[in-house]
Amino acid sequence: VEHVGAEGEIYEVADGYARNYLIPRNLALPASPANLRKWESEKKSREIVFNKNFETVKAIADRLEKIELDLEVKVGKEGHLFGSVTNQTVATALAQKGFVVDKKNIMLETPIKSVGQYEVSIRLHTKLNVPIKINVGGKEVAAQLSPAVSKNIPAS
């Protein structure tokens, strides 16, 4: 659970938080002696699955590190975007390159609102973040607008 603790660790949290959020979502169990014994007995099989998944994800991460996304978006005269580049935009661009990544795993602090080169981190595993480069380029749209609309655009 992000900002609380990692799998297998024991933490003391408020009763209401545990009862209403953690336990119903199967994110935590009460630290009873029976649950602790069960956790220890299943520990070896979980480690095997964890390591196998980590090796698979590491192979994907090696391919993903080499990717450089070129996003062409509409921009104004000063290089500001019409709209912004968000997690969903990056996820869609990655899907077009053959990588399916959930938008929640793309660590974009704030939406990108200007042209330039950016580095974005992608969380593929609990212990593995991969940085990718994104080039946000634009095509100026003032010339593409109808004459009636372009008259309303102030000169810079």
Side-chain angles (χ1 to χ4, degrees):
V1 178
E2 198 169 330
H3 306 296
V4 175
E7 186 174 353
E9 296 176 344
I10 298 175
Y11 284 94
E12 189 168 325
V13 296
D15 290 338
Y17 182 56
R19 185 176 49 248
N20 297 324
Y21 183 77
L22 296 175
I23 295 172
R25 288 175 173 79
N26 292 324
L27 298 174
L29 293 171
S32 66
N35 284 338
L36 291 174
R37 279 193 305 275
K38 183 178 176 186
W39 179 261
E40 284 299 319
S41 68
E42 295 172 352
K43 187 175 185 178
K44 197 69 151 173
S45 63
R46 277 192 312 277
E47 285 179 10
I48 292 169
V49 170
F50 181 84
N51 290 334
K52 185 177 180 182
N53 288 342
F54 186 74
E55 293 302 320
T56 304
V57 169
K58 189 140 177 75
I60 294 169
D62 291 338
R63 292 187 329 176
L64 194 58
E65 282 180 333
K66 298 172 186 170
I67 294 292
E68 191 167 314
L69 294 178
D70 294 318
L71 301 176
E72 190 167 316
V73 293
K74 296 179 181 179
V75 296
K77 289 184 179 182
E78 297 176 9
H80 296 288
L81 304 183
F82 289 124
S84 60
V85 174
T86 62
N87 296 5
Q88 181 61 48
T89 311
V90 175
T92 303
L94 284 171
Q96 291 172 351
K97 296 269 187 175
F99 296 95
V100 178
V101 177
D102 187 11
K103 69 179 183 178
K104 295 175 189 170
N105 293 333
I106 298 172
M107 312 308 283
L108 189 61
E109 293 176 18
T110 59
I112 299 170
K113 296 187 178 187
S114 60
V115 174
Q117 187 173 22
Y118 299 90
E119 190 169 288
V120 176
S121 181
I122 299 176
R123 182 179 30 203
L124 293 178
H125 197 269
T126 56
K127 304 216 183 246
L128 182 62
N129 289 345
V130 178
I132 63 167
K133 291 182 180 155
I134 298 176
N135 296 317
V136 178
K139 51 185 175 189
E140 201 163 302
V141 295
Q144 297 172 353
L145 298 175
S146 67
V149 175
S150 62
K151 288 180 186 175
N152 295 333
I153 297 175
S156 35

